[in-house]
Amino acid sequence: MDESLNELLKRIKSIEIQGAKEIAIHSLKFLKKLAKEKGFGREFNRAAKKLENARPTAVVLHNCLEIIKKEKRIETIDKLLRKLNQATREIAKRGSRLIKNNYAIMTHCHSGEALAVIKQAWKEGKKITVYATETRPKEQGIKTAKELARLGMHVILIVDSAVEFFIKDIDVVIVGSDAIRREGIVNKIGTYPLAVVAKEHKKPFYVVGNTLKLDKRKKLIIEERPPHEIYVEHMKILEVRNPAFDVTPWKYVKRVVTEKGILTPGNILRMLK
Ligand code: RUB
């Protein structure tokens, strides 16, 4: 049975579908079907807006929709879907060069693109240990840990607050990105503290992200999620805040792995002009 817009929105908002790339891919596939049936008119625009607003921080879908709005063609949607998947393959190949045999890698949350890099290095026969943070409050890091452990990798699951404790044991930090902006890298909350700890211990901090994550939007919206994800008991006297993302300034970032190459923060800032 075909998924309705409301069902898809629910799966995206609940983080069943998560990660900037997956959100864009599922949304584009839905919109392609809608456009085939009803064209690129009002209904398409309404659905596109709702999907874009479901997780407003991630920029990939927004960038794709800007291109689709100009061209209004099914082939454009197909081209973007191909581009996203091709970019991941390219990123995996390029990024795996950063991982040497016997490396220990620390990662945060669940990024399809960061995982593609780690999996590629593993496929090439490198022995790897991955430290995966649990990623409070929705525990996407457990998804990362299980996915990699099932491949046979040595995976160590840790709580977010243990990154400093283990940083001495690792060689590189590799994280994904929701948006790549002039201010820095937008990624799951907790990425910035991880970058600071990495810098303090002189460990290279790499970000992975395809170029559809370059974010030229004027305003950055940091999604705030429901308090009950953190604590279920509702107390009138207690305020709970649950921002989903933070922005890591460029000074903490060594390189960004894109499908076009492993780029310096300077390269990226020029592309954002
Ligand atoms: C996911 C997250 C990921 C980026 C990149 O947050 O921060 O690192 O989205 O993912 P959430 P990808 O779980 O809240 O969606 O590399 O798959 O695009």
Side-chain angles (χ1 to χ4, degrees), residues 58-111:
V59 74
V60 181
L61 180 58
H62 166 84
N63 283 341
C64 291
L65 290 171
E66 290 296 297
I67 296 168
I68 294 165
K69 263 183 225 156
K70 279 188 212 128
E71 299 182 9
K72 294 195 170 54
R73 293 172 54 192
I74 300 288
E75 296 83 80
T76 305
I77 306 182
D78 282 332
K79 195 180 73 193
L80 288 164
L81 284 165
R82 273 199 306 274
K83 186 178 158 120
L84 282 168
N85 288 321
Q86 177 60 32
T88 307
R89 287 193 287 275
E90 201 52 51
I91 279 171
K93 268 192 274 164
R94 290 178 188 273
S96 75
R97 291 181 210 142
L98 301 170
I99 302 173
K100 303 211 166 67
N101 195 31
N102 286 318
Y103 258 25
I105 303 157
M106 191 176 276
T107 191
H108 184 53
C109 196
H110 181 276
S111 152

Side-chain angles (χ1 to χ4, degrees), residues 45-268:
N45 290 339
R46 271 191 49 215
K49 195 89 228 130
K50 281 191 179 169
L51 287 164
E52 191 182 336
N53 290 341
R55 303 292 311 278
T57 308
V59 74
V60 181
L61 180 58
H62 166 84
N63 283 341
C64 291
L65 290 171
E66 290 296 297
I67 296 168
I68 294 165
K69 263 183 225 156
K70 279 188 212 128
E71 299 182 9
K72 294 195 170 54
R73 293 172 54 192
I74 300 288
E75 296 83 80
T76 305
I77 306 182
D78 282 332
K79 195 180 73 193
L80 288 164
L81 284 165
R82 273 199 306 274
K83 186 178 158 120
L84 282 168
N85 288 321
Q86 177 60 32
T88 307
R89 287 193 287 275
E90 201 52 51
I91 279 171
K93 268 192 274 164
R94 290 178 188 273
S96 75
R97 291 181 210 142
L98 301 170
I99 302 173
K100 303 211 166 67
N101 195 31
N102 286 318
Y103 258 25
I105 303 157
M106 191 176 276
T107 191
H108 184 53
C109 196
H110 181 276
S111 152
E113 294 191 311
L115 261 61
V117 169
I118 298 171
K119 286 179 187 171
Q120 178 63 30
W122 173 254
K123 255 193 242 160
E124 289 166 9
K126 294 170 194 166
K127 213 170 143 258
I128 296 166
T129 297
V130 177
Y131 286 78
T133 57
E134 154 196 57
T135 315
R136 278 273 296 156
K138 292 293 280 180
E139 301 181 335
Q140 297 94 318
I142 298 182
K143 186 172 158 192
T144 295
K146 284 188 190 162
E147 197 171 315
L148 297 181
R150 281 192 188 117
L151 294 176
M153 253 177 252
H154 179 211
V155 180
I156 302 174
L157 180 65
I158 62 173
V159 294
D160 301 349
S161 43
V163 293
E164 191 282 331
F165 188 90
F166 290 109
I167 199 86
K168 308 172 267 316
D169 303 334
I170 70 112
D171 297 286
V172 282
V173 179
I174 302 180
V175 297
S177 50
D178 282 88
I180 301 173
R181 292 178 62 89
R182 285 199 64 74
E183 308 92 298
I185 293 293
V186 186
N187 193 48
K188 177 56 53 190
I189 194 89
T191 301
Y192 186 176
L194 172 54
V196 174
V197 167
K199 180 117 186 146
E200 178 69 22
H201 291 264
K202 301 190 172 52
K203 305 286 181 176
F205 182 87
Y206 293 110
V207 173
V208 184
N210 71 71
T211 51
L212 280 167
K213 290 182 174 178
L214 292 171
D215 187 358
K216 295 185 180 176
R217 290 176 297 185
K218 279 210 176 69
K219 221 175 129 220
L220 167 64
I221 302 170
I222 297 281
E223 174 191 359
E224 280 227 26
R225 297 191 52 87
H228 66 74
E229 287 182 352
I230 292 182
Y231 191 58
V232 282
E233 188 186 329
H234 175 70
M235 272 178 96
K236 265 203 178 128
I237 52 165
L238 181 66
E239 183 179 352
V240 178
R241 297 279 307 269
N242 187 13
F245 302 99
D246 59 23
V247 187
T248 303
W250 285 110
K251 66 174 181 179
Y252 296 103
V253 178
K254 186 160 170 74
R255 293 283 187 276
V256 182
V257 183
T258 75
E259 76 280 18
K260 298 199 169 142
I262 300 182
L263 306 178
T264 62
N267 296 146
I268 294 284

